[in-house]
Amino acid sequence: LTHKKSSKKSSNTVPVLWKCSMCTFDNHETMVYCEMCGVFRESFVKSGKDVSIKVESVNGISNNSGTSALSNSDSTKMPAKTSTTNFDGDSERKYASTSHDKVNSTQLASVGSSSSTGKKKQPVIFDNNVPIERTTQLNADHFQLKEDQGSSRASSSAQNKGSMETLSSDISQLSIERNNVNVAQPLPEEYKPEGWMLADQESGVLSQLNLAIVGHVDSGKSTLSGRLLHLLGKISKRDMHKNEKEAKEKGKGSFAYAWAMDESTEERARGITMTVAVAYLETKKYRVVLLDSPGHKDFVPNLISGATQADAAILVVDASTGSFESGMDGEGGKSVGQTKEHAQLIRSFGVEQLIVAVNKMDAIGYSKDRLEFIKVRLGSFLRSCNFRDSAVTWIPLSAVENQNLIKSPSDARFTSWYQGSCLLDAIDSLQLPSRDVSKPLILPICDVIKSQSTGQLAAFGKLETGAIRNGSKVLVLPCEEVATVKTIERDSSSCSIARAGDNVAVILQGIDGSRIIPGGILCHPGFPVPVANYLELKIRVLDIAIPILIGYQVEFHIHHVKEAARVTKIVALLDKTGKPSKTAPRFLKSKQNAVVQVTLDQAVCVEEFSKCRALGRAFLRSSGSTIAVGIVTKIMRQDQH
Ligand code: GTP
Ligand code: MG
């Protein structure tokens, strides 16, 4: 069932039948409105205006790109204007004071071999045997608003906890007012990808699949990830033995596999994941980059930073009595658990394919009835988040008892009723999303590591578009300096080319180390990403207790950056069809869709969603809860604000 296609075919894209002319999202043919921004396909056809969507035209966007109604966008000017976009050249200092969320990208080479040191200090060995060390340390303070902002919002904290209920249709319910949005413009004519960028996969090389592991705290994400690595021979016997021994000594025997992912002393002591751990494994079809996320609600910002890179996700749920329920409804059934919050968030990142790993089946005697109950409850919730039934695969398993992970289960209580796929087969059945190699390079930096001996730096991250190879010149943002790619590393071995979709470490030369920062971008020198702090967004307000007024302080999250911001203008409310209200409301409340303007304390690398989804998806958080999700529709200059 799962290996029908050759690995070449594996790079096929998910079937795409129409592309939204507003936000460029690729929609399934059954959708009558854009899943991402909510614009109706029909309405444009009927309106007979310049935006013509043809069902058969995947590239319909290019027909519309000259649309005059939209040509008032600033965006056409943005690339050339980087240096004037509210970015005063004082970038380094400004960024140094900005809180960036960091993902600890642990090289597999170090997994399990560092039990006493913790992964942040763990030297990562590159090919040339140069030990390198992270320059960035994860600090819980990074995820706190500055004191004054935090306290001004403190009162909303408790009430906001459960406010994610209706992210259900999240961005899909957002509609876009035509005049405010920049339809994807054609790329400037002069950009022509070079031959090597587009070259087909080298034969025998597996495609890279970035897979986020998400789910409620303690559902078993790290145990599952560690167990998979172990079963696939990625953890040596010695390291596994060491983990088992040390976990036992510390009275945490059940966490032995999780420790392969949770390497820091604090994570191990608390028995929770705090940062996103990155590990690599191979299936028949893919080189999988596992992004094991924290489930604890305090670390949702880390999850956002890590899981934005995902092509697909495994949502781990704890099947045991009471635990599945808290994952759905929070402790005491009164709020929203992270099973729901994570599902909503990853869907709004654009993740369409989901494997639901129903874990801890051993704890419920491999009960089929319990699985069916979970499927019904969670299934209807996932549907409300716009996950298509056909894109959701349910895999019951037990990470601890190794049932149904890389082969069919063996426990008679399980085999008596289960004939479906195992987890590994389900991973191989995932489809790769399309990769934009023909656009200029964009690589958002999620982490930076530094060579101890030579001072060489590696920027970690996933190429969203374009390609690089050794010797490529890249523009480093926000510092606006050009550097040269010296080496590219994938899973701690060097490779000559990285293309869109690849998660790599890039060692740069010709730049001072302090200029490369998480939250920055590597891009094509001729096509810089805007750096801005005045933005217009379409947002979907989640369940909030305190209305959003002008002046509201928020944490603004976008790709790997978090920045303090203020809502400076409420432009309009949007109705279900995306029509803006004639008058602007004074405040926003739960479940409303709106156009707002925000001012960030410091400029960040950002792009309009229509041009680059990964750089145009934003999340507004306050007092530890996500209060709104949205997309960037306009990058403004100060005088437009
Ligand atoms: P966070 O990262 O902190 O959100 O937790 P997590 O989802 O990574 O969970 P973790 O892997 O740390 O496991 C939490 C607890 O659940 C540990 O005690 C595990 O031994 C236990 N656990 C994990 N998988 C299973 C399972 O299949 N069956 C049983 N009975 N327990 C399990
Ligand atoms: Mg964990």
Side-chain angles (χ1 to χ4, degrees):
L1 170 82
T2 46
H3 308 298
K4 271 187 280 186
K5 293 181 183 164
S6 70
S7 64
K8 256 225 162 96
K9 283 229 163 185
S10 73
S11 58
N12 276 355
T13 57
V14 178
V16 169
L17 291 149
W18 66 278
K19 187 184 276 279
C20 174
S21 57
M22 279 294 147
C23 70
T24 75
F25 188 73
D26 298 327
N27 287 283
H28 192 263
E29 70 169 334
T30 53
M31 299 301 295
V32 291
Y33 60 88
C34 173
E35 273 198 274
M36 190 51 69
C37 71
V39 165
F40 281 98
R41 185 174 159 194
E42 297 295 296
S43 65
F44 285 100
V45 176
K46 278 194 201 128
S47 73
K49 291 195 183 164
D50 41 16
V51 181
S52 54
I53 299 169
K54 296 189 181 75
V55 174
E56 73 277 15
S57 169
V58 171
N59 295 319
I61 199 75
S62 57
N63 302 332
N64 311 327
S65 52
T67 306
S68 58
L70 301 149
S71 61
N72 60 350
S73 97
D74 297 331
S75 58
T76 48
K77 301 175 220 149
M78 287 315 293
K81 287 217 156 202
T82 305
S83 57
T84 57
T85 312
N86 304 309
F87 187 73
D88 58 10
D90 197 12
S91 56
E92 196 187 355
R93 192 172 49 74
K94 281 183 160 190
Y95 263 73
S97 66
T98 307
S99 299
H100 297 282
D101 295 340
K102 291 158 188 89
V103 176
N104 282 331
S105 312
T106 310
Q107 297 283 322
L108 185 67
S110 70
V111 169
S113 61
S114 60
S115 51
S116 57
T117 52
K119 73 183 146 194
K120 287 160 211 148
K121 293 240 167 74
Q122 181 59 28
V124 178
I125 311 299
F126 272 69
D127 259 5
N128 55 6
N129 286 328
V130 177
I132 49 178
E133 182 180 47
R134 262 163 236 295
T135 54
T136 55
Q137 297 266 324
L138 182 83
N139 178 343
D141 293 346
H142 285 154
F143 312 110
Q144 303 298 319
L145 270 182
K146 289 171 194 157
E147 203 59 49
D148 51 342
Q149 296 153 355
S151 55
S152 70
R153 297 257 59 83
S155 56
S156 67
S157 133
Q159 299 94 317
N160 278 350
K161 291 248 160 71
S163 69
M164 296 281 299
E165 190 72 32
T166 55
L167 174 54
S168 57
S169 34
D170 59 56
I171 293 180
S172 75
Q173 298 261 339
L174 297 179
S175 289
I176 292 181
E177 179 200 356
R178 295 165 56 89
N179 291 339
N180 279 346
V181 175
N182 307 297
V183 160
Q185 302 289 330
L187 290 171
E189 272 176 24
E190 62 269 31
Y191 183 73
K192 290 228 165 31
E194 295 165 38
W196 62 268
M197 295 178 170
L198 303 174
D200 219 340
Q201 291 277 330
E202 301 133 65
S203 57
V205 175
L206 300 171
S207 309
Q208 183 164 308
L209 179 80
N210 301 291
L211 191 57
I213 318 284
V214 299
H216 194 64
V217 66
D218 277 351
S219 53
K221 300 176 290 299
S222 303
T223 304
L224 181 60
S225 306
R227 189 91 205 211
L228 265 182
L229 292 175
H230 182 241
L231 290 168
L232 296 172
K234 293 287 180 182
I235 304 177
S236 71
K237 267 198 182 133
R238 214 191 86 223
D239 288 337
M240 197 56 233
H241 184 67
K242 198 168 160 210
N243 280 350
E244 274 169 3
K245 193 165 149 253
E246 286 175 9
K248 214 178 237 165
E249 278 166 14
K250 298 226 159 66
K252 300 240 176 221
S254 72
F255 285 89
Y257 288 105
W259 277 20
M261 311 303 293
D262 299 338
E263 291 192 291
S264 81
T265 319
E266 192 176 354
E267 286 178 319
R268 290 180 170 194
R270 292 177 64 178
I272 60 166
T273 305
M274 291 157 73
T275 61
V276 175
V278 181
Y280 303 83
L281 54 88
E282 284 91 43
T283 65
K284 286 183 197 147
K285 211 164 129 181
Y286 297 122
R287 191 163 8 86
V288 179
V289 179
L290 276 188
L291 303 154
D292 176 31
S293 311
H296 195 283
K297 59 183 176 337
D298 287 356
F299 300 104
V300 170
N302 291 12
L303 167 118
I304 292 175
S305 180
T308 47
Q309 303 169 60
D311 299 317
I314 300 181
L315 175 65
V316 182
V317 297
D318 181 342
S320 48
T321 318
S323 300
F324 167 71
E325 286 73 10
S326 357
M328 296 294 283
D329 305 322
E331 299 303 329
K334 291 218 164 64
S335 58
V336 172
Q338 273 61 53
T339 303
K340 279 185 175 178
E341 181 171 12
H342 288 187
Q344 289 167 325
L345 280 172
I346 55 164
R347 185 65 191 88
S348 60
F349 297 152
V351 170
E352 297 178 12
Q353 303 173 87
L354 190 68
I355 295 172
V356 183
V358 182
N359 190 26
K360 308 198 188 179
M361 288 296 288
D362 57 299
I364 48 151
Y366 296 98
S367 157
K368 184 182 181 199
D369 289 348
R370 178 71 173 165
L371 175 71
E372 291 306 323
F373 170 80
I374 290 171
K375 268 171 127 170
V376 170
R377 256 211 85 191
L378 181 55
S380 71
F381 178 76
L382 294 176
R383 230 165 281 131
S384 77
C385 298
N386 285 318
F387 281 104
R388 278 194 298 277
D389 278 358
S390 59
V392 178
T393 312
W394 299 84
I395 308 288
L397 50 83
S398 164
V400 158
E401 294 200 348
N402 183 19
Q403 293 292 316
N404 211 23
L405 265 59
I406 64 163
K407 55 178 198 230
S408 301
S410 54
D411 192 298
R413 291 170 297 171
F414 202 172
T415 49
S416 62
W417 56 269
Y418 187 74
Q419 280 87 39
S421 310
C422 66
L423 181 64
L424 198 63
D425 285 345
I427 295 173
D428 262 343
S429 300
L430 294 168
Q431 305 260 298
L432 278 189
S434 59
R435 310 288 199 196
D436 244 334
V437 286
S438 58
K439 284 189 181 169
L441 169 74
I442 294 182
L443 190 164
I445 303 169
C446 80
D447 202 1
V448 179
I449 57 170
K450 187 177 179 187
S451 156
Q452 277 174 329
S453 53
T454 66
Q456 285 179 320
L457 283 163
F460 270 107
K462 177 186 162 195
L463 278 86
E464 290 297 337
T465 53
I468 41 168
R469 63 176 171 181
N470 297 347
S472 294
K473 293 262 182 272
V474 295
L475 177 68
V476 181
L477 292 176
C479 70
E480 299 183 71
E481 287 180 25
V482 175
T484 307
V485 174
K486 187 171 178 230
T487 324
I488 305 169
E489 299 258 343
R490 212 190 256 142
D491 185 11
S492 61
S493 54
S494 64
C495 59
S496 50
I497 298 177
R499 299 192 176 87
D502 287 345
N503 208 308
V504 289
V506 183
I507 298 177
L508 296 171
Q509 62 184 14
I511 185 166
D512 183 80
S514 61
R515 313 293 276 173
I516 306 172
I517 55 168
I521 304 267
L522 303 185
C523 60
H524 188 296
F527 299 85
V529 166
V531 182
N533 52 359
Y534 299 98
L535 305 172
E536 189 162 282
L537 313 171
K538 301 250 168 205
I539 57 165
R540 163 78 172 166
V541 182
L542 308 178
D543 279 351
I544 52 173
I546 296 180
I548 300 176
L549 292 155
I550 292 167
Y552 197 95
Q553 296 277 356
V554 291
E555 280 170 43
F556 180 84
H557 291 259
I558 196 155
H559 55 96
H560 307 298
V561 193
K562 181 186 82 164
E563 184 54 69
R566 250 170 323 119
V567 175
T568 37
K569 191 169 178 184
I570 299 174
V571 180
L573 269 185
L574 299 169
D575 69 12
K576 283 244 157 75
T577 63
K579 211 168 129 235
S581 57
K582 292 223 171 78
T583 53
R586 283 191 304 114
F587 59 87
L588 297 174
K589 47 187 193 186
S590 301
K591 300 179 189 168
Q592 288 185 323
N593 294 337
V595 179
V596 298
Q597 292 179 355
V598 294
T599 300
L600 314 186
D601 281 10
Q602 310 287 348
V604 298
C605 300
V606 57
E607 186 54 286
E608 285 154 8
F609 180 80
S610 57
K611 293 184 180 165
C612 178
R613 287 187 215 162
L615 300 188
R617 266 185 208 109
F619 303 87
L620 304 185
R621 306 194 90 235
S622 174
S623 305
S625 299
T626 309
I627 58 165
V629 295
I631 55 178
V632 177
T633 50
K634 198 162 160 186
I635 295 169
M636 297 179 298
R637 295 189 307 269
Q638 187 162 17
D639 56 17
Q640 293 177 300
H641 208 54

